Amino acid sequence: AQTVTQSQPEMSVQEAETVTLSCTYDTSENNYYLFWYKQPPSRQMILVIRQEAYKQQNATENRFSVNFQKAAKSFSLKISDSQLGDTAMYFCAFMKSDGGSNYKLTFGKGTLLTVNP
Amino acid sequence: EPEVTQTPSHQVTQMGQEVILRCVPISNHLYFYWYRQILGQKVEFLVSFYNNEISEKSEIFDDQFSVERPDGSNFTLKIRSTKLEDSAMYFCASSGGLQLPYEQYFGPGTRLTVT
C-alpha cells in the first residue's frame, strides 16, 4: 500500500514571499502520478499541479512549481509571490499508474498554509 | 468551464436513515469516484466506478454503501443505514477525458451530518 506523508501540519508566509511545502511518499511502484490539491475554506478540492513520475522535468504552473526527487520519494510544492488567496489546506496525493481502470488517489494529511498581509 | 456538481450541499439525517448523495460528473468523463473527509482529517478514497461497475473500493465501503449511475449524467452514493461515524464531507470526482484519465476534478462536496 502507498502512504503519503506531509510533515508540516501548519505553515505561514508573508504576502509576496516564497514558501515550500514538503511531501514524501512510500511506494514500490515505478509508474505513478503525484498531485497537489488545494482546499480553501469553502472546502472545494482544487487541482494545483501534477507530476508524472516518468518525467524528470519538474512541473510548473504559473506561481506553483514542484521539486520532484524520485529516488528520495520526495515531492515538494513551491509557491512563489504568495497571495492572500493562497491561504488554504494543501494536500499531496499519490496515484499509481498500472494501465487499469482505477485511478485512486491516496492523500496525505495536509498542510494548512496561511498567507499573512 | 465544465465542473462537477453535487447535491445537496448539506444533508442532516437521523441515525439509521438512508441517504442518497448525488453528483453530476463532467459530461465526457468516464471514471467516477467518491471520497470522504471527516472533519479535520485527510481525504479518504471510498470507491471508483468505470464502465458501469465498481473498479475498486476501500475497506470503508462496506455493505451499507452502494453506488449507481442511473442515467447518463448522475452518479449517486447511497448509505442504507447511516451511523454517527458517517458524518463527514463527501466528495464526488470524475476523470477521463481522452488524454488525461488520471486528472480528477472534484465537486464542492456534500456535508453529511448524522444525528
Side-chain angles (χ1 to χ4, degrees):
Chain A
Q2 290 75 32
T3 59
V4 178
T5 301
Q6 294 179 250
S7 58
Q8 306 150 315
E10 293 186 39
M11 291 192 72
S12 63
V13 64
Q14 291 298 120
E15 199 174 2
E17 293 189 347
T18 296
V19 64
T20 298
L21 309 183
S22 301
C23 173
T24 58
Y25 57 94
D26 187 24
T27 184
S28 58
E29 304 286 334
N30 191 48
N31 297 317
Y32 50 88
Y33 305 100
L34 295 164
F35 304 85
W36 280 96
Y37 279 86
K38 168 184 176 181
Q39 188 180 43
S42 66
R43 299 198 73 185
Q44 170 114 36
M45 297 286 287
I46 302 166
L47 177 62
V48 175
I49 198 166
R50 75 170 189 277
Q51 174 80 42
E52 292 89 339
Y54 64 84
K55 289 186 177 179
Q56 291 188 337
Q57 186 173 8
N58 290 323
T60 299
E61 287 287 342
N62 301 314
R63 299 183 293 107
F64 299 88
S65 61
V66 298
N67 183 4
F68 173 48
Q69 302 288 329
K70 190 173 184 180
K73 297 180 182 175
S74 170
F75 182 61
S76 61
L77 174 70
K78 186 171 82 171
I79 306 174
S80 304
D81 186 25
S82 297
Q83 300 176 359
L84 296 178
D86 295 333
T87 292
M89 184 72 89
Y90 287 81
F91 291 98
C92 178
F94 173 98
M95 176 192 291
K96 70 177 181 179
S97 169
D98 59 7
S101 60
N102 177 37
Y103 296 96
K104 173 181 81 172
L105 285 166
T106 299
F107 287 89
K109 289 187 175 181
T111 295
L112 178 61
L113 176 68
T114 302
V115 180
N116 298 309
Chain B
E1 186 172 330
E3 59 182 16
V4 177
T5 60
Q6 290 184 244
T7 55
S9 57
H10 190 191
Q11 173 92 45
V12 181
T13 189
Q14 289 191 329
M15 195 168 51
Q17 296 296 305
E18 175 184 286
V19 295
I20 297 176
L21 309 183
R22 291 182 167 80
C23 168
V24 179
I26 293 173
S27 61
N28 65 344
H29 283 183
L30 303 174
Y31 304 86
F32 313 109
Y33 312 84
W34 284 101
Y35 294 85
R36 81 171 186 189
Q37 184 182 31
I38 294 172
L39 187 63
Q41 299 188 22
K42 67 178 178 179
V43 179
E44 300 174 288
F45 169 79
L46 290 178
V47 65
S48 58
F49 192 86
Y50 169 74
N51 199 25
N52 285 319
E53 60 183 24
I54 291 174
S55 307
E56 185 172 343
K57 58 185 180 181
S58 71
E59 60 275 9
I60 302 168
F61 195 89
D62 61 21
D63 291 345
Q64 293 301 311
F65 291 85
S66 63
V67 289
E68 192 177 34
R69 188 156 163 80
D71 52 41
S73 60
N74 290 282
F75 180 52
T76 63
L77 174 69
K78 182 194 289 187
I79 309 175
R80 289 189 183 83
S81 179
T82 51
K83 305 170 188 169
L84 293 176
E85 54 264 37
D86 292 328
S87 293
M89 194 78 157
Y90 288 81
F91 292 102
C92 173
S94 70
S95 68
L98 291 177
Q99 293 179 333
L100 297 171
Y102 49 84
E103 193 162 290
Q104 293 183 23
Y105 292 88
F106 282 72
T110 293
R111 182 186 300 276
L112 177 65
T113 302
V114 182
T115 61

